[in-house]
Amino acid sequence: MRLHLITVGAPKLAYARAGWAEYTGRLGHYHKLRVTQLAGSTPTKEGEAMLKAAGRAPIIALDPRGQQWSSEELSAYIERQGVQGTGELAFCIGGPDGHSDELRAAARVLWSLGRLTLPHDLAMVVLAEALYRSATISAGEPYHR
């Protein structure tokens, strides 16, 4: 399965750059990984750029209005998509003002990392770690414990 992480900006803080590099590096052992980091502007322009970057890949938009998944549920979702022939999933993290209505409407799934508001940098690290954790669950590896 190909995973495409589309974000507005890159991690700015040292801890987040290190976490992002660590978990995207680990994730690359399980999935073909592509990262697109877009310039920030308005939610509408960011959404248009994300839609273009995602191409035909189904979009999973990180959004506080979305459903929450356990690690096992995320792992099962990604596995189901692969079995159903989905070759790529695009995970989108918007800018400080969130996603546009157009991007949310185009998304296959709205996914919430939880009810807490996370700083952008931390949300990026949590996304990468959650995807890595789900990959280890699918592989039957002990990281999840």
Side-chain angles (χ1 to χ4, degrees):
M1 171 76 69
R2 292 182 309 274
L3 302 182
H4 188 178
L5 310 183
I6 305 171
T7 66
V8 172
K12 293 179 179 74
L13 300 173
Y15 83 88
R17 286 192 309 269
W20 178 256
E22 177 70 24
Y23 288 111
T24 56
R26 289 183 186 194
L27 186 56
H29 296 288
Y30 299 89
H31 297 284
K32 291 182 180 178
L33 186 64
R34 187 167 114 191
V35 174
T36 301
Q37 295 172 326
L38 305 169
S41 56
T42 67
T44 299
K45 289 180 182 176
E46 292 165 359
E48 290 169 357
M50 286 183 170
L51 288 168
K52 183 176 180 181
R56 293 177 175 232
I59 292 172
I60 292 86
L62 276 73
D63 189 281
R65 295 166 245 194
Q67 60 188 326
Q68 295 180 31
W69 286 327
S70 68
S71 297
E72 294 85 359
E73 289 167 335
L74 175 61
S75 178
Y77 176 80
I78 293 171
E79 282 185 27
R80 274 193 314 276
Q81 295 307 301
V83 169
Q84 293 172 358
T86 302
E88 181 175 351
L89 293 171
F91 292 84
C92 297
I93 296 182
D97 296 318
H99 292 300
S100 66
D101 290 337
E102 292 76 20
L103 183 86
R104 277 193 296 277
R108 178 173 285 180
V109 174
L110 296 180
W111 174 28
S112 173
L113 295 177
R115 294 178 57 192
L116 294 172
T117 300
L118 300 175
H120 190 69
D121 280 11
L122 184 55
M124 291 176 68
V125 174
V126 171
L127 168 65
E129 193 282 337
L131 292 171
Y132 171 68
R133 183 176 295 271
S134 76
T136 65
I137 290 169
S138 293
E141 296 178 359
Y143 174 80
H144 180 59
R145 292 191 206 119

